[in-house]
Amino acid sequence: MNKRTRRNSPHKVFLALMLVLQGTIPFEIITEQKITMWFFIYHLITTPSFIFCLAEEGNKGYGPVFEEQPIDTIYPEESSDGQVSMNCRARAIPFPTYRWKLNSWDIDLTKDRYSMVGGRLVINNPEKSRDAGKYVCVVSNIFGTVRSSEATLSFGYLDPFPPEERYEVKVREGVGAVLLCEPPYHYPDDLSYRWLLNEFPIFIALDKRRFVSQTNGNLYIANVEASDKGNYSCFVSSPSITKSVFSKFIPLIPQSDRAKVYPADIKVKFKDTYALLGQNVTLECFALGNPVPELRWSKYLEPMPATAEISMSGAVLKIFNIQYEDEGLYECEAENYKGKDKHQARVYVQASPEWVEHINDTEKDIGSDLYWPCVATGKPIPTIRWLKNGVSFRKGELRIQSLSFDDAGMYQCIAENTHGIIYANAELKIVASPPTFELNPMKKKILAAKGGRVIIECKPKAAPKPKFSWSKGTELLVNGSRIHIWDDGSLEIINITKLDEGRYTCFAENNRGKANSTGVLEMTEATKITLAPLNVDVTVGENATMQCIASHDRTLDLTFIWSLNGFVIDFEKEHEHYERNVMIKSNGELLIKNVQLRHAGRYTCTAQTIVDNSSASADLVVRGPPGPPGGIRVEEIRDTAVALTWSRGTDNHSPISKYTIQSKTFLSEEWKDAKTEPSDIEGNMESATVIDLIPWMEYEFRIIATNTLGTGEPSMPSQRIRTEGAPPNVAPSDVGGGGGSNRELTITWMPLSREYHYGNNFGYIVAFKPFGEKEWRRVTVTNPEIGRYVHKDESMPPSTQYQVKVKAFNNKGDGPFSLTAVIYSAQDAPTEIPTDVSIKVLSSSEMSVSWHHVTDKSVEGYQIRYWAAHDKEAAAQRVHVSNQEYSTKLENLKPNTRYHVDVSAFNSAGYGPPSRTIDIITRKAPPSQRPRIISSVRSGSRYIITWDHVKAMSNESAVEGYKVLYRPDGQHEGKLFSTGKHTIEVPVPSGGEYVVEVRAHSEGGDGEVAQIKISGATTGVPTLLLVLVVPTLGVLACSGF
């Protein structure tokens, strides 16, 4: 480094580096001279006189505008990154400077812990005790200062589960269970939960019976089954810090018991929920019970939101993009045939602040007044406060009178409520300048129509607002009957004549100077409609013509514009119906093709030049079918009838002859004609009664009018109503039943569809009695969708004849009973034990089991249980056969394994006692070595196939001989040979190829296969393809000979 370079002071070098970092100058051009130059410029632009000069010159620079602001950040405490950054970037001319605040205190950026790249703050080796909090980026230049939105730096963690073992949970089968997760300490609270079963990564599958709450992590089992036995671990994940932990295993031990039924009992209950507008909301509800309860969701007295979605077998209700109208009371109902349970909670919808009107960069004249509207919506209603150059300024609306240069700067409007805060930033510039027409001079040539009106604009740039005066030639103009000077400086002249032509000059003056601008006014001939359109009367589907001819100044172009009821017709979009005459220059005739009702109205033809225009109008009357009736009201709502009133729609110039009323229910999307009184509704009527409706049914109605020209469009649907309830008048059908478990009477019926419920609190009354008795027993089933009832009575004799009948009821009364049906109570489970059970081992994987039948005629079949001696009896495999079978084959057994086998009879009531357990050992496995074919020789009409002897291993069955299958290629069946030798002769194929399969045979079964193809097409030694085959896996290629 030379001496001249060393003379640059450190702050000059620092300034140059800042310029490089901001992108103002490239690094390559940094020299001693340029450092000195930029240092001079920096001092120049930061002097007060230069700032005032910028205001005087219109201020070509601007204050800081955020392009990126810091956001809330979660830093994992266990992170190995060693640093965290908060981003901040703004554009400004001149370039801005950055500083940061933590919890309202300035950060000392000279410390080694911090570094800055542009506006980006980097914190090295962050610590929770020193660095957690709210960060604000403050950006400044000569035009002012702005503060970023606050961003929170938090430290995330997820502790491990405690090391203590979890207690085992014993639950009787059929009873509900809850396994507690008890997640460890963590931040933030955004955990997701799953449960492991026995080992990682086997997660339990959630279904109708099992549910994992994402609120507390608990696992809920509606009713425990024997298959639920195992070790369970709660698996917790934190997406914010990408970490997961799992708990010690919890042994769940189901206790064998005769399954009992339990009513629904809601254990997962959603709480009152506050949601922000547009968010997705999740509500959880799950119930224990046996059988598994059905879950239903509803919104009290209102339909469910259109964006609602039910998942997880009914346990989760999600409302997507929630809106204010979705607020209300939500209900979850759980029910099984033993009972029901309900839970309600309210969902409140609130909203973060959102701008309705916010501030923008504004330039105001010195001495003028400022009103800056800043309006935000939200729930609760946001409060408004202001910052000026990063410092608290005012609250509420902002009004400043008689602006001065001191009022210039960067302003921030802040709207906040309990759910959030938003910022709107804008720069206020104060302008002071003498009048000038450089940017907006007067038009050099102004055209005005004879007898018309002209406005000559005068809009110089000036601050403060100047005073205006006008002259024509040398004559000073003043306000009069034909001439008027507006406040904004514009000159208006009416009733233009030839004498008004000439040179006009506008003079503007304020306390900083004055200026003027001149233009020439010329008069043209006025535009006039010479042939105006006439009124037209047509019927729908016909064509109509509107004439329009105009005269105008021949030096100007003439254009015709047509409008309907004040709206300009777009001929490109409406080309199917509108067409205009473009052949004759002064003719604007309009053709309306295939006229529809919507084309009726007032048509205006406007003949227009760049100077003036002239208009004429006419009406098009379109006759057609009536318009839709309006104002439908539903009154006098009864169980099967309602009264409707409506108001007449437009008759479209043809009297209405009749009305038709249609109705629709949720049962169908189709509108159907309703039955009414009177049956024919004449066109002069505006009320009628709809009859023969279904009680307790939601209806919508609409009305269609008809006249001699056709049937019109239907009205808008009426408000949805529900008819009054009435007692049911239809009895359930297909009443029957029977069977079931011991001491049970099962009664079934076909549930009535919704249209026959006729009222609220719908259910069924089931009546039954032993045949011959007089008194009926009655029970109530409250679930309208269930068509089954099981009555349990330990004193009930088996196979007893019962009479049963069912009727429906609701809150209005009972319906008629069904026809009486005769059914039988359940049989007893068999009590006899099958005898003479014998077992024959067939191979290493098969055995045959036989037995003698029991004498009980109610037996429906037999169950054969078998399990390996080293397994528990609970793991036994089961095979069921009909009561016609005396034996069965057990397959897929393990070789050389001891098995326990027993046999029991069963019927619909259950299983009888098992026979004595028989122990049996399967054969050793067949030889695993496949025969190696060593030769295949053709000898006359026969082939001689030879192979090596197969030697069995110690854990395999001894070879007793060989099986040879001779079959056509491509077929599975053929001729089977058995031999104790290592060779066999087979015939030469008469046509095509044959396959010879060789396998070793033993008491444990057949071994693996060697395969060879032979052909009768050639003589001598054929080319052979040996293929080795595993019996159940197909063909594998081997070597050739």
Side-chain angles (χ1 to χ4, degrees):
M1 184 180 293
N2 59 38
K3 295 180 179 179
R4 296 185 64 184
T5 303
R6 285 196 299 269
R7 283 200 298 270
N8 281 313
S9 62
H11 62 281
K12 286 186 182 180
V13 176
F14 175 76
L15 171 62
L17 291 175
M18 287 298 294
L19 293 170
V20 171
L21 291 175
Q22 292 295 332
T24 306
I25 58 175
F27 181 81
E28 292 80 2
I29 70 167
I30 293 295
T31 64
E32 176 188 1
Q33 290 80 6
K34 288 191 168 52
I35 291 176
T36 303
M37 180 188 71
W38 284 107
F39 181 69
F40 170 75
I41 293 173
Y42 175 77
H43 278 284
L44 173 63
I45 64 174
T46 55
T47 59
S49 60
F50 182 75
I51 296 173
F52 180 78
C53 178
L54 283 175
E56 288 286 332
E57 292 299 322
N59 201 344
K60 304 237 175 353
Y62 57 89
V65 178
F66 279 113
E67 293 183 332
E68 185 178 10
Q69 299 191 55
I71 59 174
D72 291 344
T73 302
I74 297 175
Y75 178 79
E77 289 187 357
E78 299 177 9
S79 173
S80 60
D81 291 347
Q83 63 175 219
V84 63
S85 61
M86 308 292 280
N87 292 336
C88 181
R89 187 174 73 254
R91 68 177 188 274
I93 297 177
F95 63 87
T97 59
Y98 297 87
R99 54 193 176 91
W100 284 85
K101 288 178 174 289
L102 169 58
N103 298 328
S104 300
W105 293 89
D106 285 332
I107 295 177
D108 185 357
L109 298 175
T110 61
K111 291 184 177 180
D112 292 339
R113 297 187 63 251
Y114 302 105
S115 59
M116 285 266 288
V117 180
R120 179 167 171 257
L121 174 67
V122 178
I123 306 171
N124 299 307
N125 300 317
E127 298 177 11
K128 182 177 181 179
S129 59
R130 291 201 290 179
D131 299 315
K134 295 184 181 296
Y135 285 76
V136 173
C137 173
V138 183
V139 188
S140 304
N141 74 357
I142 60 173
F143 293 108
T145 300
V146 289
R147 294 166 56 101
S148 72
S149 55
E150 288 184 343
T152 301
L153 175 60
S154 307
F155 286 74
Y157 61 93
L158 175 59
D159 289 349
F161 276 92
E164 292 80 18
E165 296 293 331
R166 297 283 189 110
Y167 293 110
E168 66 181 17
V169 177
K170 295 182 178 180
V171 184
R172 285 183 290 115
E173 292 181 11
V175 176
V178 181
L179 301 185
L180 302 182
C181 179
E182 297 178 336
Y185 292 115
H186 58 275
Y187 181 86
D189 193 15
D190 61 348
L191 302 182
S192 63
Y193 301 91
R194 290 186 290 174
W195 281 76
L196 295 168
L197 177 59
N198 294 326
E199 60 180 325
F200 184 85
I202 301 175
F203 294 97
I204 67 165
L206 303 183
D207 51 28
K208 193 174 182 180
R209 195 172 60 86
R210 296 179 292 190
F211 177 70
V212 175
S213 171
Q214 296 304 309
T215 302
N216 54 29
N218 294 343
L219 170 62
Y220 297 83
I221 304 176
N223 51 64
V224 172
E225 298 177 354
S227 60
D228 293 323
K229 183 178 180 180
N231 297 312
Y232 292 78
S233 172
C234 182
F235 187 85
V236 180
S237 300
S238 173
S240 297
I241 62 173
T242 61
K243 181 182 178 181
S244 300
V245 295
F246 55 88
S247 69
K248 289 286 188 178
F249 281 96
I250 304 172
L252 176 61
I253 305 174
Q255 303 291 296
S256 180
D257 190 9
R258 181 178 176 181
K260 296 182 180 179
V261 294
Y262 300 95
D265 182 14
I266 295 178
K267 290 297 184 184
V268 179
K269 299 180 179 181
F270 58 100
K271 300 177 181 178
D272 285 350
T273 302
Y274 286 84
L276 292 181
L277 187 71
Q279 282 187 339
N280 301 333
V281 176
T282 301
L283 306 180
E284 294 182 340
C285 178
F286 190 75
L288 310 184
N290 189 23
V292 178
E294 294 289 334
L295 298 169
R296 291 187 294 272
W297 291 87
S298 61
K299 186 181 181 187
Y300 183 66
L301 296 180
E302 293 182 70
M304 289 283 280
T307 59
E309 182 180 285
I310 297 173
S311 59
M312 301 297 293
S313 301
V316 173
L317 170 65
K318 282 191 174 181
I319 306 173
F320 296 91
N321 188 24
I322 195 166
Q323 301 297 306
Y324 287 125
E325 58 267 25
D326 300 331
E327 185 174 272
L329 189 64
Y330 286 80
E331 179 178 277
C332 170
E333 182 179 77
E335 182 175 17
N336 59 17
Y337 70 80
K338 190 67 175 178
K340 68 169 63 175
D341 193 9
K342 291 183 180 180
H343 172 69
Q344 291 181 334
R346 186 167 291 277
V347 173
Y348 299 91
V349 181
Q350 300 197 331
S352 302
E354 186 175 331
W355 291 120
V356 175
E357 185 177 9
H358 62 78
I359 58 175
N360 294 296
D361 290 346
T362 301
E363 193 173 272
K364 298 290 287 185
D365 293 348
I366 189 168
S368 62
D369 295 337
L370 171 70
Y371 168 59
W372 239 346
C374 189
V375 182
T377 184
K379 189 176 181 183
I381 297 174
T383 59
I384 301 292
R385 60 187 176 89
W386 294 81
L387 301 179
K388 179 186 176 185
N389 293 326
V391 178
S392 181
F393 186 56
R394 291 187 187 175
K395 294 183 179 180
E397 66 176 22
L398 180 63
R399 293 179 183 272
I400 305 175
Q401 295 180 333
S402 188
L403 290 167
S404 67
F405 286 121
D406 291 338
D407 296 313
M410 299 300 301
Y411 287 79
Q412 293 179 278
C413 176
I414 303 173
E416 58 186 325
N417 65 9
T418 54
H419 301 297
I421 180 170
I422 53 177
Y423 291 72
N425 305 343
E427 181 179 356
L428 175 62
K429 291 185 177 180
I430 307 301
V431 179
S433 67
T436 176
F437 287 92
E438 289 182 5
L439 300 177
N440 195 19
M442 278 178 57
K443 291 182 179 179
K444 297 302 181 184
K445 184 178 180 181
I446 304 108
L447 299 178
K450 181 180 179 181
R453 167 177 173 265
V454 67
I455 296 175
I456 307 174
E457 292 185 341
C458 178
K459 294 185 176 180
K461 182 178 181 182
K465 180 181 176 181
K467 294 181 179 179
F468 296 95
S469 60
W470 282 85
S471 69
K472 179 190 175 189
T474 59
E475 178 188 358
L476 185 64
L477 300 179
V478 295
N479 289 337
S481 59
R482 294 178 54 246
I483 297 176
H484 182 73
I485 301 174
W486 291 4
D487 287 341
D488 67 356
S490 299
L491 175 66
E492 179 183 16
I493 307 174
I494 61 175
N495 298 327
I496 299 293
T497 67
K498 192 70 173 177
L499 296 175
D500 292 318
E501 290 184 328
R503 293 171 59 85
Y504 288 80
T505 301
C506 174
F507 298 90
E509 182 178 0
N510 67 10
N511 59 4
R512 293 182 175 267
K514 55 186 176 180
N516 62 75
S517 184
T518 300
V520 177
L521 175 65
E522 295 182 3
M523 188 191 77
T524 62
E525 291 299 321
T527 303
K528 295 181 180 179
I529 299 290
T530 56
L531 185 59
L534 301 176
N535 294 338
V536 182
D537 191 324
V538 295
T539 300
V540 168
E542 295 179 346
N543 295 341
T545 301
M546 292 278 189
Q547 61 188 8
C548 186
I549 299 177
S551 64
H552 66 292
D553 191 299
R554 294 302 173 180
T555 63
L556 304 175
D557 290 330
L558 180 66
T559 303
F560 288 93
I561 298 173
W562 282 92
S563 61
L564 171 58
N565 297 327
F567 294 95
V568 175
I569 297 172
D570 187 331
F571 284 89
E572 289 188 5
K573 290 184 179 179
E574 298 281 350
H575 66 275
E576 292 184 3
H577 293 284
Y578 290 109
E579 185 179 302
R580 56 185 170 184
N581 189 342
V582 295
M583 302 300 293
I584 303 174
K585 188 174 183 181
S586 299
N587 191 338
E589 182 180 80
L590 173 67
L591 173 62
I592 311 170
K593 302 174 292 184
N594 186 21
V595 173
Q596 301 298 308
L597 290 171
R598 68 177 184 275
H599 298 140
R602 190 164 187 80
Y603 284 79
T604 300
C605 172
T606 301
Q608 178 176 287
T609 68
I610 61 172
V611 177
D612 67 339
N613 62 72
S614 179
S615 299
S617 300
D619 292 323
L620 174 64
V621 175
V622 182
R623 302 182 185 275
I632 301 178
R633 297 180 60 187
V634 186
E635 302 172 337
E636 301 176 23
I637 300 173
R638 300 189 292 278
D639 55 353
T640 60
V642 298
L644 292 185
T645 61
W646 62 90
S647 58
R648 294 168 57 86
T650 57
D651 61 11
N652 291 323
H653 310 288
S654 179
I656 297 172
S657 56
K658 70 170 185 177
Y659 289 101
T660 303
I661 298 177
Q662 295 183 326
S663 65
K664 184 177 75 169
T665 70
F666 76 91
L667 300 174
S668 172
E669 289 298 316
E670 182 183 355
W671 288 93
K672 298 179 180 178
D673 290 352
K675 191 173 182 180
T676 62
E677 286 184 357
S679 56
D680 295 323
I681 306 172
E682 296 180 357
N684 59 355
M685 299 178 62
E686 294 186 7
S687 65
T689 300
V690 183
I691 59 174
D692 289 353
L693 300 177
I694 300 173
W696 196 248
M697 180 62 67
E698 290 184 346
Y699 279 95
E700 291 178 281
F701 301 95
R702 71 180 188 182
I703 303 174
I704 303 173
T706 302
N707 63 14
T708 56
L709 297 176
T711 298
E713 293 293 320
S715 67
M716 293 292 292
S718 69
Q719 183 180 2
R720 185 176 297 169
I721 61 97
R722 176 177 283 169
T723 52
E724 291 292 325
N729 61 9
V730 177
S733 60
D734 296 339
V735 176
S741 301
N742 283 339
R743 309 295 184 253
E744 286 184 353
L745 178 65
T746 302
I747 304 168
T748 61
W749 63 93
M750 179 65 70
L752 294 177
S753 59
R754 166 66 181 81
E755 58 191 296
Y756 298 112
H757 287 187
Y758 286 9
N760 201 6
N761 299 325
F762 182 85
Y764 301 97
I765 295 175
V766 181
F768 57 94
K769 67 182 181 68
F771 197 84
E773 290 190 9
K774 293 183 179 180
E775 187 174 346
W776 292 82
R777 291 192 60 179
R778 297 190 179 198
V779 295
T780 300
V781 177
T782 58
N783 188 340
E785 298 175 5
I786 286 181
R788 185 173 182 270
Y789 171 72
V790 179
H791 176 67
K792 292 182 178 291
D793 187 349
E794 295 299 328
S795 64
M796 183 187 302
S799 303
T800 302
Q801 195 177 51
Y802 276 80
Q803 291 177 296
V804 296
K805 56 186 179 179
V806 183
K807 68 178 178 180
F809 73 91
N810 61 23
N811 60 334
K812 296 293 184 180
D814 297 350
F817 268 114
S818 66
L819 296 175
T820 300
V822 176
I823 63 174
Y824 290 85
S825 62
Q827 313 167 86
D828 270 343
T831 57
E832 290 186 65
I833 299 174
T835 58
D836 293 337
V837 177
S838 65
I839 300 175
K840 181 179 181 182
V841 176
L842 303 179
S843 69
S844 63
S845 61
E846 296 177 332
M847 65 175 67
S848 174
V849 183
S850 61
W851 61 89
H852 282 177
H853 282 188
V854 299
T855 59
D856 189 345
K857 293 183 178 180
S858 71
V859 170
E860 298 176 1
Y862 293 89
Q863 172 183 264
I864 299 88
R865 297 192 310 159
Y866 60 98
W867 64 98
H870 58 268
D871 289 338
K872 295 183 178 179
E873 184 177 347
Q877 302 287 324
R878 291 170 170 81
V879 175
H880 293 87
V881 298
S882 72
N883 59 5
Q884 303 298 315
E885 303 291 337
Y886 288 85
S887 64
T888 190
K889 184 189 289 187
L890 305 182
E891 300 175 323
N892 299 320
L893 304 176
K894 296 178 181 179
N896 197 28
T897 301
R898 180 183 297 276
Y899 278 90
H900 303 313
V901 184
D902 65 28
V903 182
S904 59
F906 69 86
N907 59 18
S908 61
Y911 295 95
S915 66
R916 68 179 182 85
T917 301
I918 298 178
D919 288 357
I920 196 77
I921 299 175
T922 54
R923 309 288 189 201
K924 291 182 178 180
S928 58
Q929 179 187 348
R930 58 177 63 87
R932 188 172 72 89
I933 299 175
I934 57 177
S935 68
S936 172
V937 179
R938 181 171 177 171
S939 176
S941 61
R942 306 185 71 79
Y943 270 103
I944 302 173
I945 313 295
T946 307
W947 59 88
D948 282 343
H949 176 61
V950 173
K951 296 180 180 179
M953 300 178 69
S954 61
N955 62 343
E956 296 176 343
S957 299
V959 176
E960 296 179 348
Y962 298 90
K963 291 182 178 180
V964 180
L965 178 64
Y966 177 69
R967 60 178 177 81
D969 188 20
Q971 299 183 19
H972 297 291
E973 296 182 357
K975 188 173 182 180
L976 183 66
F977 301 92
S978 294
T979 180
K981 302 177 180 179
H982 305 159
T983 183
I984 194 167
E985 294 184 7
V986 295
V988 173
S990 57
E993 290 186 328
Y994 268 64
V995 175
V996 179
E997 294 180 353
V998 182
R999 56 169 62 84
H1001 174 66
S1002 70
E1003 68 173 6
D1006 296 338
E1008 296 184 2
V1009 174
Q1011 177 175 291
I1012 186 173
K1013 287 185 180 180
I1014 60 176
S1015 173
T1018 60
T1019 59
V1021 180
T1023 301
L1024 301 178
L1025 173 67
L1026 295 183
V1027 181
L1028 303 180
V1029 179
V1030 178
T1032 59
L1033 298 182
V1035 180
L1036 302 175
C1038 187
S1039 59
F1041 293 91

